[in-house]
Amino acid sequence: MDRNSVDWYGNFCAVVTPFNRDGNIDEAAFQENIRLLVSEGIRGIVVAGCTGEFWALSDEERLRLFELAREATDVFVIGNASAIVTGHSVAYAQGAKDRALDGIMLTPPFYAKPNDREIVHHYRRVSDAVELPILMYNIPSRQAVAPSIGVIEQLVQVDNVVAFKQSASEFGAVLDTLRAVGDAIRVMPGHSVDRGVPCLVMGADGYVSSVESQVMGRDAVRMYELVMEGNLEEARDIQMRCVALDKAVHGDAGTFPASLKAAMNFCGRPGGYPREPLLPLTEKESSNLRATLQGIGIAMAAVVA
């Protein structure tokens, strides 16, 4: 497989996992969010990623989310198969295939701090075990390791690797990735809330969003389309609003993604609650977040649960 094996481009959204007040998954809200995003133009859904609090889910819950997402939509659905133990990632990948998902997302094993040889081995083992397109995912702030461009070039040679979500904090890492492997695989960076337009202008196939798409809806989802149409002035205007939104949800308004979920709830969208150890926002945090959202022209719902 390579970049031509999949039709992945545009805006894919890494969705939240809404929980009830008692900590259980709100399955209806999860599917409602997906259907809403699809109606607004999202081309793909990424399930149980960092934004989806995958680290707080049991194995059964993660696989259940795969199933619910597939039931909810016919657009591309990618399930996060990331785990510390390679065998666990294989099991998630098989679960994704069994539920007819279109691909898996896979980080290097986090916490264990594997070396380069071990990272490449991990990807090869998962690829060899399950025939399903792989979206590589690099988010060094969560992994504790950061594969070099040399390692990334090795990973591109793994049979089922077709795309790369580059979520390193430095924009230069996206440019390095595009130069090194953009001809071989799809490059769909993360952090589109503050660099979606620049990534597209520099040649990315699309991006994996989370914050802006799930708060601003269609207004943010169409940012990709505006760039492709050459309407950079309007795209830049939306990007600047997204940057302000990003500062709000990653500022003093609780811990992400509790802050994102709160923002969604304020807008009448199905964010739900976080799962412990994360906590809902305090009254002061909520008030500050609402004020910021209103200040950048985001409409609030009349009633917030």
Side-chain angles (χ1 to χ4, degrees), residues 60-222:
E60 293 76 14
E61 287 174 328
R62 198 190 305 198
L63 295 177
R64 176 60 176 159
L65 291 178
F66 291 177
E67 182 177 359
L68 290 168
R70 182 74 288 164
E71 289 176 359
T73 184
D74 291 329
V75 304
F76 297 114
V77 176
I78 298 173
N80 181 25
S82 301
I84 298 174
V85 178
T86 301
H88 294 172
S89 287
V90 169
Y92 288 132
Q94 187 60 56
K97 184 173 184 178
D98 292 344
R99 288 157 181 80
L101 268 58
D102 300 286
I104 58 168
M105 183 171 72
L106 190 63
T107 66
F110 44 91
Y111 196 84
K113 295 186 177 181
N115 62 31
D116 293 350
R117 180 174 65 89
E118 291 161 341
I119 291 171
V120 174
H121 174 79
H122 177 75
Y123 276 87
R124 283 180 176 153
R125 276 273 290 113
V126 176
S127 176
D128 290 346
V130 182
E131 184 73 14
L132 203 61
I134 296 173
L135 170 67
M136 293 192 301
Y137 183 19
N138 180 45
I139 182 164
S141 62
R142 303 274 185 175
Q143 295 160 188
V145 293
S148 66
I149 287 296
V151 172
I152 291 169
E153 289 173 332
Q154 292 182 60
L155 293 173
V156 167
Q157 303 304 314
V158 174
D159 287 344
N160 293 317
V161 168
V162 298
F164 189 16
K165 179 186 177 185
Q166 175 58 282
S167 289
S169 58
E170 306 84 5
F171 182 61
V174 176
L175 301 182
D176 290 342
T177 300
L178 284 166
R179 281 192 292 264
V181 300
D183 291 339
I185 60 172
R186 306 266 175 169
V187 178
M188 302 184 71
H191 303 314
S192 59
V193 69
D194 64 6
R195 65 186 187 195
V197 171
C199 287
L200 295 176
V201 169
M202 295 307 295
D205 294 275
Y207 44 72
V208 180
S209 64
S210 62
V211 175
E212 73 276 21
S213 296
Q214 294 182 99
V215 174
M216 296 168 62
R218 176 63 181 161
D219 201 19
V221 172
R222 68 193 184 97

Side-chain angles (χ1 to χ4, degrees), residues 4 58 81 98 108 121 133 140 145 173 178 204 232 236 241 253 274 277 279 304:
N4 298 313
S58 69
D98 292 344
H121 174 79
V145 293
L178 284 166
L232 292 183
R236 284 195 297 264
R241 292 178 64 208
L279 298 174
V304 179

